[in-house]
Amino acid sequence: MGSKLNDSFTRSITDSFAMQRKVAIRMGAQSDSDPMISVVHPAGLSSETQQTSGSLRMSAIAAMNGIESSLWAGIFVVEPSGKTGIHHHGKQDTVVYVLEGKANVRWGNFGEHSVTVGAGDFLHVPSWLPHQEFNPSRKNPFRWVVVRSTPEPIVVNLPDDFWTHTTYNR
């Protein structure tokens, strides 16, 4: 015998699943091509994407990998004691899930704000926002799953002295 909470939760999942199935059926009936699920295994990640000094970006969900999507997704790694260059992602909003490690993220017109994130945290970086990541660990890299709001891997690398010599205007 289930609790009211469990019954409610199960009903919610079932209703949501039923709605998703109807949408999938509707999409299939209206589309000339069959929708497909794409899988990118670790060996299929590509570092042939825009990079920022001090880090490694590897694309997964991207046209360059044969996947047409309205989003871009990949993995982002900064080695122990590393830091990235100051950069932004143009018109893209970025959502990050921290897989492992810790990172200090600095941002703002003058780099005046900062936050520390760790495994299990989500981070949202608004479009056009200059930012920089630091890895405070001397032993472990940090790894993020990154999803961007457009399919292009936009990276605008800024000068190292950006925050000390310029005022940022979009």
Side-chain angles (χ1 to χ4, degrees), residues 45 49-50 55-62 69 71-78 84 87 89 92-100 105 117 121-125 131 133 142-155:
L45 295 172
T49 188
Q50 292 182 312
S55 64
L56 174 63
R57 283 187 189 87
M58 295 175 287
S59 65
I61 308 305
S69 175
L71 304 171
W72 180 94
I75 299 290
F76 181 71
V77 180
V78 173
T84 69
H87 62 283
H89 301 286
Q92 292 179 316
D93 277 337
T94 300
V95 174
V96 169
Y97 177 75
V98 181
L99 283 175
E100 66 178 289
V105 182
V117 294
D121 289 342
F122 281 89
L123 176 73
H124 172 251
V125 180
H131 60 283
E133 296 89 2
F142 73 73
R143 296 184 203 297
W144 294 355
V145 173
V146 178
V147 178
R148 301 241 179 83
S149 62
T150 70
E152 311 89 34
I154 299 170
V155 178

Side-chain angles (χ1 to χ4, degrees), residues 9-37:
F9 181 70
T10 302
R11 190 175 323 105
S12 172
I13 290 173
T14 304
D15 292 346
S16 175
F17 181 70
M19 287 172 45
Q20 289 174 4
R21 287 182 59 198
K22 287 179 185 174
V23 170
I25 291 167
R26 190 175 308 124
M27 285 175 51
Q30 294 178 350
S31 173
D32 291 338
S33 64
D34 292 331
M36 288 184 52
I37 290 178

